Amino acid sequence: DAKTTQPNSMESNEEEPVHLPCNHSTISGTDYIHWYRQLPSQGPEYVIHGLTSNVNNRMASLAIAEDRKSSTLILHRATLRDAAVYYCIPPYAGGTSYGKLTFGQGTILTVHP
Amino acid sequence: SQTIHQWPATLVQPVGSPLSLECTVEGTSNPNLYWYRQAAGRGLQLLFYSVGIGQISSEVPQNLSASRPQDRQFILSSKKLLLSDSGFYLCAWSVTLMRGQETQYFGPGTRLLVL
């Protein structure tokens, strides 16, 4: 299975952009990178996923390096509600189509007012 | 729209007592269902997953079991709880898509404290 590495914690000020990095140097050519986040006392929620090109949705942007060995989750304007643990999820192994997510320790994002 | 329910929200149980946590999904058919546990200060650990009625796969050996009696119902059980079973239990669902693009949707969770 591919492994991921994320910083333990990051801090940001409200309304500033936040760039959350993830290294996934063992990723294979057809593996997607997924990001989830977990707000305090809640279950995780899906944020975004991508394969090769940059992806955008209403929550965030995902910038994937050209060699696909790293990616960056971008929150364009952090709010206090974005304070959470952000997980970069390695792709699952195996030949089945269901998603077996492996959650690491993630990055604890603190947003200051 | 799809929704996922878990109950109870919190539970305090003595060691050695039985456990039954229930998860139901609305608004979708034949979902893949998952049980995760998050111990205090730790990451999420996948316990069980199910791709259909009566089909359960276990990821981690333990004194817990899971059952799927109906398409959109997933139950986590134990005959005798241990102190180490304390944690935040999360149910999740997904639908089968092209490999690698599946998104999981999590319920609100059940906080279990075993004393």
Side-chain angles (χ1 to χ4, degrees):
Chain A
D1 293 355
K3 298 290 188 283
T4 62
T5 304
Q6 298 178 255
N8 291 331
S9 62
M10 293 186 65
E11 297 186 19
S12 173
N13 294 319
E14 201 173 10
E15 298 191 4
E16 290 184 353
V18 181
H19 291 233
L20 298 164
C22 178
N23 289 321
H24 31 81
S25 58
T26 60
I27 194 171
S28 70
T30 58
D31 289 333
Y32 282 77
I33 290 297
H34 294 248
W35 284 79
Y36 284 71
R37 72 179 185 180
Q38 186 174 17
L39 280 65
S41 300
Q42 295 186 27
E45 64 174 344
Y46 166 79
V47 178
I48 201 167
H49 76 282
L51 182 62
T52 55
S53 57
N54 295 345
V55 184
N56 300 291
N57 65 22
R58 63 175 180 82
M59 292 181 67
S61 295
L62 179 61
I64 301 173
E66 191 170 345
D67 63 7
R68 301 204 337 113
K69 295 183 183 301
S70 65
S71 62
T72 301
L73 180 70
I74 303 168
L75 306 179
H76 295 285
R77 291 184 63 188
T79 69
L80 297 178
R81 289 172 293 180
D82 291 322
V85 181
Y86 286 79
Y87 298 98
C88 172
I89 306 293
Y92 51 87
T96 55
S97 58
Y98 49 81
K100 295 169 63 174
L101 302 180
T102 301
F103 287 83
Q105 293 302 308
T107 297
I108 301 172
L109 175 65
T110 301
V111 181
H112 299 289
Chain B
S1 63
Q2 300 89 2
T3 56
I4 179 170
H5 304 279
Q6 284 188 247
W7 64 89
T10 60
L11 191 59
V12 180
Q13 292 284 97
V15 169
S17 63
L19 173 73
S20 181
L21 302 180
E22 189 164 343
C23 169
T24 59
V25 181
E26 297 176 355
T28 187
S29 296
N30 195 29
N32 301 317
L33 296 173
Y34 310 84
W35 276 113
Y36 290 85
R37 176 172 62 197
Q38 187 171 35
R42 306 285 296 275
L44 278 82
Q45 179 185 41
L46 178 63
L47 301 175
F48 300 95
Y49 61 90
S50 171
V51 299
I53 297 175
Q55 301 178 61
I56 309 294
S57 296
S58 174
E59 286 291 296
V60 180
Q62 59 216 318
N63 69 320
L64 299 170
S65 62
S67 62
R68 185 171 177 173
Q70 300 181 41
D71 181 43
R72 289 168 289 180
Q73 184 184 30
F74 206 22
I75 298 172
L76 183 70
S77 304
S78 174
K79 293 182 179 178
K80 289 186 178 181
L81 284 169
L82 307 173
L83 288 174
S84 57
D85 291 324
S86 295
F88 189 34
Y89 287 82
L90 290 152
C91 181
W93 71 273
S94 68
V95 292
T96 299
L97 298 174
M98 291 179 62
R99 183 176 182 277
Q101 297 200 62
E102 192 169 305
T103 296
Q104 290 187 21
Y105 302 92
F106 287 79
T110 295
R111 292 202 178 276
L112 172 66
L113 178 61
V114 182
L115 300 176

